[in-house]
Amino acid sequence: MRTLIKHVLASTEPKEALAIKGWVRTRRDSKGFSFLELNDGSCLANLQIVVDATTPGFENPATLTTGASAAVEGNLVASPASGQKWELRATHIELVGAVDPTYPLQKKGHTPEFLRTIAHLRPRSNLFGTIFRLRSRLAYAVHQFFQDRDFVYVHTPIITASDCEGAGEMFRVTALKGNIDEKPQTDFFGKRTYLTVSGQLEGETFACALSNIYTFGPTFRAENSNTTRHAAEFWMIEPEMAFCDLQGDMDLGEEFIKAMARYAQEHCTEDLSLFAKFVDKDLPERLKFVIERPFVRVPYTDAVKILCGSGRKFEFPVKYGLNLQSEHERFLTEEHFKSPVTVFNYPREIKPFYMRLNDDHKTVAAMDMLVPGIGEVVGGAQREERLDQLLENMRSHKLNPEDYSWYLDLRRFGTVPHAGFGLGFERLLMFLTGVSNIRDVIPFARTPGNADF
RNA sequence: UCCAGAGUAGCUCAAUGGUAGAGCAGCCGGCUGUUAACCGGCGGGUUGCAGGUUCGAGCCCUGCCUCUGGAGCCA
């Protein structure tokens, strides 16, 4: 039976007759024998295999080169040389799949930009193998975090007719040919439909029944965004809590990010060491800081005062009523506070209709969590639970209440204060790994003009 | 979409307007324990595309394409 390399390397004693399968990372030949390093993706480290020239199956060593797949049987022994604790003395080796000389991955390091062009092969590199192992572990940690707190996982629809205002441009979904706007009532669903930009509105309906819920699924934005932190398809986590206000919302967001950092630190130690070494030297220190220190919380009004009083020249103006620009958010989180920062209570004019109006009648109970290096990683709010106020908000945002009748019903039938947020899973991964481009933390990135693979 | 930079061998990069090169990878050979092994040899190019200037363009000019970074939008 096959043993994964991660288990082989964790062995505490020599073992006989192990079966290993994987891909050759590199080979070093000596007279009469070769060193083969095999990787099967179960961990970052390779297993060194010593193959004698007379080992059965090794009659044609030229075929067992970088990239080839192989099955090896042998005995695990303590390695006499430094560099690895264990090595496998092969008793039999078999070429499973040969590799063409055009195999693009080399033993030496490649740039992430080049590896992006071969997205089908890049998980075989150290960096991307590590990234995607960590992505998997963290997806699990997300569920564990919410399930441990009695949150119910809700699968909100991917195809939707409702627009979660303010979330961005939507991709149209249609089965029509020709002019798709001529008779939308004849379309597959009998109306215009889109790929979801957020499961929030549907999530609210479940929170107003099951109390605490979360979604975790693909989300689509048709924005022509070309940046290191935007993708047209990404995974979003959206908790929603009934009987919860903005304070509780901010508490959960902060607790969540800390928990994810802690999980990575405890469960992905080997993988994190690679990021610290080759991607972001400050990563261990940053994770420690995030875990240990409370996040700074500052009302929008105070944030504006800090920015105005900073003496800094900003490219874009800072004034009450204007959105904070990237440079302002960067200043707050990277320079002024040098810590993750939650900005809350934004002017009502710059936020969507569903956010709850504060008693000052000027601001809404919104919050954005900003982290150094990435900017906004969480955006959330307490929702407007008062029917009259919600209707007024919709009027001032020029929305038709008829389009949101089911959403308004939540306020008619046993309304409750509730709050939630959206968190970009890829941005979280960027923060936890130091990887600076969102295209490198998602297996096959969808960005404007690019849907290869 | 806007601004800036870049595009030369499979990869990373050189090359005053004057014969396109190196390292690595690949292939062949050597080496008794290697660690991104080492040593010797060999092959490898429509210089992103299309025009233009010039006796002569990888280099200068124009347009386009792609990539990278920044901005806007946001998660």
Side-chain angles (χ1 to χ4, degrees):
Chain A
M1 210 185 73
R2 176 194 185 190
T3 309
L4 288 176
I5 287 171
K6 71 180 277 197
H7 295 128
V8 173
L9 292 175
S11 187
T12 52
E13 55 188 12
K15 284 191 176 129
E16 305 228 315
L18 286 175
I20 311 297
K21 293 166 199 249
W23 292 265
V24 177
R25 279 295 179 79
T26 178
R27 194 179 84 202
R28 296 177 289 271
D29 293 329
S30 280
K31 177 92 173 174
F33 64 100
S34 293
F35 297 101
L36 224 58
E37 288 204 29
L38 224 63
N39 186 286
D40 64 6
S42 63
C43 60
L44 174 59
N46 303 326
L47 176 64
Q48 173 162 291
I49 296 173
V50 185
V51 192
D52 202 83
T54 59
T55 303
F58 202 51
E59 292 80 16
N60 190 6
T63 58
L64 278 159
T65 52
T66 305
S69 51
V72 188
E73 285 162 34
N75 305 319
L76 189 72
V77 300
S79 179
S82 64
Q84 60 282 314
K85 189 176 173 192
W86 298 106
E87 65 185 29
L88 192 81
R89 299 278 168 86
T91 53
H92 185 269
I93 187 161
E94 182 196 341
L95 173 74
V96 176
V99 67
D100 202 276
T102 60
Y103 186 64
L105 284 171
Q106 301 171 12
K107 307 173 191 185
K108 297 209 171 191
H110 287 293
T111 61
E113 289 79 14
F114 170 68
L115 291 168
R116 238 174 258 156
T117 68
I118 49 167
H120 58 310
L121 297 172
R122 69 178 180 169
R124 298 192 192 187
S125 67
N126 284 339
L127 176 64
F128 285 95
T130 301
I131 287 171
F132 294 122
R133 270 191 302 276
L134 188 119
R135 184 179 168 113
S136 165
R137 299 301 297 269
L138 270 138
Y140 177 77
V142 167
H143 286 293
Q144 193 177 62
F145 176 88
F146 287 114
Q147 297 284 338
D148 284 353
R149 287 164 180 75
D150 297 311
F151 280 61
V152 176
Y153 180 32
V154 178
H155 295 118
T156 50
I158 298 205
I159 298 172
T160 179
S162 59
D163 181 3
C164 190
E165 192 217 7
E169 290 297 311
M170 304 177 88
F171 285 104
R172 183 81 175 271
V173 175
T174 182
L176 291 176
K177 301 207 163 61
N179 185 351
I180 60 169
D181 287 314
E182 206 169 354
K183 287 183 185 165
Q185 67 275 15
T186 65
D187 204 348
F188 189 88
F189 296 105
K191 56 168 72 172
R192 288 189 178 87
T193 49
Y194 309 88
L195 292 179
T196 183
V197 290
S198 167
Q200 180 201 316
L201 302 187
E202 290 93 345
E204 282 185 50
T205 70
F206 270 71
C208 291
L210 305 176
S211 286
N212 292 331
I213 66 100
Y214 70 105
T215 73
F216 182 11
T219 309
F220 307 88
R221 304 277 167 91
E223 297 289 344
N224 190 9
S225 298
N226 245 298
T227 79
T228 52
R229 54 193 190 284
H230 288 88
E233 176 184 296
F234 63 100
W235 284 61
M236 189 152 66
I237 297 151
E238 295 182 287
E240 192 73 31
M241 295 171 286
F243 305 101
C244 180
D245 60 10
L246 185 68
Q247 198 68 32
D249 202 29
M250 292 193 286
D251 289 346
L252 184 79
E254 182 170 335
E255 198 183 330
F256 178 78
I257 290 182
K258 284 179 189 295
M260 294 304 109
R262 207 178 302 119
Y263 188 95
Q265 207 180 49
E266 282 171 18
H267 298 272
C268 311
T269 315
E270 187 194 27
D271 289 339
L272 282 185
S273 69
L274 179 127
F275 298 124
K277 209 165 161 188
F278 296 111
V279 177
D280 180 359
K281 300 212 170 1
D282 301 329
L283 182 68
E285 202 183 323
R286 191 171 74 231
L287 289 184
K288 189 166 176 281
F289 185 87
V290 165
I291 291 164
E292 288 172 0
R293 299 269 297 273
F295 293 10
V296 172
R297 292 185 189 179
V298 56
Y300 168 89
T301 311
D302 293 357
V304 168
K305 281 181 194 154
I306 289 167
L307 290 164
C308 287
S310 67
R312 265 289 277 273
K313 269 265 178 198
F314 292 109
E315 191 186 340
F316 292 91
V318 185
K319 206 179 111 192
Y320 182 92
L322 297 181
N323 260 314
L324 297 182
Q325 304 291 319
S326 284
E327 56 172 347
H328 307 141
E329 296 180 345
R330 278 251 266 288
F331 176 82
L332 289 173
T333 186
E334 290 170 12
E335 291 182 51
H336 186 78
F337 291 115
K338 293 189 168 64
S339 154
V341 178
T342 308
V343 183
F344 63 99
N345 287 350
Y346 283 80
R348 61 187 298 191
E349 294 78 17
I350 58 175
K351 289 293 183 183
F353 74 95
Y354 53 75
M355 294 189 175
R356 190 181 194 278
L357 186 67
N358 287 320
D359 291 344
D360 61 11
H361 282 69
K362 284 156 68 178
T363 60
V364 290
M367 63 107 166
D368 285 345
M369 292 185 43
L370 316 173
V371 296
I374 289 146
E376 185 177 342
V377 71
V378 168
Q382 183 175 344
R383 321 304 187 187
E384 183 56 74
E385 85 282 14
R386 299 161 295 191
L387 180 63
D388 291 349
Q389 187 59 54
L390 187 58
L391 285 166
E392 196 204 304
N393 292 354
M394 292 180 78
R395 273 193 293 276
S396 60
H397 282 82
K398 298 192 168 52
L399 297 169
N400 183 4
E402 279 175 32
D403 296 339
Y404 295 87
S405 62
W406 57 270
Y407 186 70
L408 292 164
D409 274 352
L410 298 177
R411 280 73 182 169
R412 288 194 182 97
F413 309 140
T415 193
V416 293
H418 60 290
F421 60 78
L423 180 144
F425 186 50
E426 286 76 18
R427 288 194 184 170
L428 176 70
L429 292 175
M430 291 167 74
F431 183 59
L432 296 178
T433 59
V435 171
S436 59
N437 194 314
I438 196 167
R439 286 167 273 220
D440 294 336
V441 296
I442 192 163
F444 299 100
R446 269 74 180 105
T447 51
N450 196 343
D452 289 343
F453 307 104

